[in-house]
Amino acid sequence: PRYRLLETTRLFAAQRLAQSGESAATLDRHCRSMAQVAVEVERSLWQMADRPWLHRHLADSDDLQSALEYAVAHRDAVSGAALAAAGAALDQVRGNMQGRRKRLAAAAALLPSAQGAARATLLELFSSAYASTADDCGVSRVDAARELVELRRQLGDPQRLYQALGRRALVAAMSGDRPTAEQLMAEGQRLERSDWPPRQRDWFRYWVGAVQSRLGDVQGLAQTVRESLALAEQGGLENSAAMMQAEMFELALLAD
């Protein structure tokens, strides 16, 4: 069950909390608690279909955002990276990217103090964003994607490296670097295992398909879209399935 306060009651309680001198400690506990929730949001993303996953986690969106703002203000890169990634995942699955710019600004503020896995998580946000949005935050999408792959290699997680390779392949294709894009796609395809979650393999195909589209590989794109649709239907990924059905319709029109 979830509970809410009337706005007047919430403001009164916040004033009393401030008067007691406990606001800072409470906000700190809230940030750390929501960072733990964010880890669960990301973990369950790969295991659950869209609808039950959103039902479980969407109501946490506002709390995740307020905790992220607190983490940025206190330069807590570890908590902030987890919170930003969870918010981005919720937006992506529900197909609503209105919070992207605000989240990237927060990530950009945390990036200078972030290291290791937290830094890689923040870099994923920039290598997934539209180039203009990332550049507005003073972060090069190309540089972010390149560093992301290097970090994922160092951290030794093949599934996260697999995702990073897909992101960087798309960035390379967008910048006109066809050989690098093709090399990265091939490396990711060699890493893939059939027992990895459908969402993970589906998202990689989204990046591969975007690369193939930019490179003019219509036949390869058609095959990738069919594979992606099958994975989306297998995993209950309704948003992705709808996108792939639309893509198949456009490809059919081109074929005619």
Side-chain angles (χ1 to χ4, degrees), residues 67-85:
L68 173 59
E69 292 167 5
Y70 179 88
V72 170
H74 292 79
R75 295 293 186 267
D76 182 352
V78 174
S79 295
L83 292 160

Side-chain angles (χ1 to χ4, degrees), residues 34 97 200 209 216:
M34 292 313 300
M97 306 308 292
Q200 197 167 49

Side-chain angles (χ1 to χ4, degrees), residues 20 42 61 76 88 99 102 114 122 127-128 167 170 179 182 223:
S20 72
E42 197 272 344
S61 294
D76 182 352
K102 192 177 199 180
L122 293 171
S127 58
S128 295
R167 288 183 169 94
L170 177 53
E182 292 176 337
Q223 177 62 29

Side-chain angles (χ1 to χ4, degrees), residues 91-228:
D91 278 357
Q92 183 166 349
V93 172
R94 64 177 171 166
N96 179 358
M97 306 308 292
Q98 292 181 352
R100 180 199 300 269
R101 191 176 298 274
K102 192 177 199 180
R103 193 174 301 109
L104 285 178
L110 291 169
L111 201 56
S113 59
Q115 298 179 353
R119 185 172 182 84
T121 298
L122 293 171
L123 290 169
E124 284 175 355
L125 300 176
F126 292 107
S127 58
S128 295
Y130 291 113
S132 59
T133 309
D135 292 341
D136 287 347
C137 297
V139 179
S140 162
R141 185 179 185 187
V142 173
D143 292 343
R146 185 181 297 114
E147 184 184 353
L148 172 62
V149 169
E150 293 172 357
L151 265 176
R152 288 303 183 198
R153 290 193 199 282
Q154 294 170 16
L155 293 168
D157 184 334
Q159 289 176 273
R160 293 186 185 275
L161 173 59
Y162 169 71
Q163 299 292 315
L165 290 166
R167 288 183 169 94
R168 191 182 168 201
L170 177 53
V171 172
M174 291 177 67
S175 60
D177 187 353
R178 182 176 189 133
T180 298
E182 292 176 337
Q183 176 188 343
L184 293 164
M185 281 195 305
E187 182 180 353
Q189 288 162 345
R190 289 193 298 270
L191 276 177
E192 182 179 292
R193 288 179 45 175
S194 60
D195 60 345
W196 285 356
R199 190 187 301 277
Q200 197 167 49
R201 290 179 285 147
D202 173 62
W203 281 11
F204 181 79
R205 279 161 180 76
Y206 167 79
W207 293 309
V208 168
V211 171
Q212 291 167 328
S213 178
R214 287 187 170 270
L215 299 182
D217 181 4
V218 177
Q219 184 175 356
L221 174 59
Q223 177 62 29
T224 298
V225 169
R226 286 192 293 269
E227 292 176 3
S228 181

